[in-house]
Amino acid sequence: MEYTTVHTAQKDDWFVVWSGKARQADYLIVLFTPEYKGRFTEALWMEAQCVHELHEAGTAVYIFDSEAMKPAEVYMNLQDDVKSMGSFSEWWDFCQNNHPGALAAAAPAPAAPAPAPAAHAPVAAAAPAPAAAPAAAPAAT
């Protein structure tokens, strides 16, 4: 048995290595824990898509929900060569609704910014025009 957990460093080729090992595996175990659910990253989304593809192709996939199952259930299912465990559809629904792209699409659009305040207060009324000069009196002679 070869574990893939040593590839958590996610170097440039991590997914090539991880998915290559996943494609050779007889079964895959997804640890569907609160930590997984709380930190569903782009890397986990990439893995989830590969797991889904392999499941569709017939690879046995165990979805271990740590809140609903006991570790002994994994052991017993492996011993009995059971082809699936846990709710694959519940896990896949979670993945589709929580990957970074889905969350960005579901986020409300940012509100339009408020107009910037004027640099000075607007003038309410124009100043009165200066009074007209009195008409010139005729010059005395």
Side-chain angles (χ1 to χ4, degrees):
M1 181 181 307
E2 188 171 352
Y3 295 96
T4 61
T5 55
V6 295
H7 298 289
T8 58
Q10 295 179 4
K11 298 176 185 165
D12 288 343
D13 68 342
W14 74 269
F15 187 71
V16 173
V17 174
W18 184 90
S19 62
K21 289 182 178 184
R23 291 179 195 294
Q24 294 174 7
D26 294 328
Y27 58 89
L28 301 166
I29 302 173
V30 176
L31 300 177
F32 195 36
T33 64
E35 294 81 12
Y36 180 97
K37 295 172 188 175
R39 191 173 175 274
F40 194 69
T41 63
E42 185 65 32
L44 290 176
W45 172 234
M46 291 171 66
E47 291 178 359
Q49 291 174 87
C50 182
V51 169
H52 181 266
E53 174 191 326
L54 294 172
H55 173 73
E56 293 291 312
T59 300
V61 176
Y62 290 9
I63 306 298
F64 177 71
D65 184 343
S66 65
E67 296 178 305
M69 301 173 163
K70 295 180 177 19
E73 291 178 71
V74 176
Y75 172 75
M76 294 305 294
N77 284 313
L78 288 171
Q79 287 292 102
D80 294 342
D81 198 27
V82 175
K83 292 297 178 193
S84 68
M85 179 185 88
S87 178
F88 187 89
S89 61
E90 182 180 325
W91 167 77
W92 183 237
D93 286 346
F94 170 86
C95 295
Q96 290 182 303
N97 293 319
N98 290 281
H99 68 85
L103 295 177
H120 61 285
V123 177
T141 54

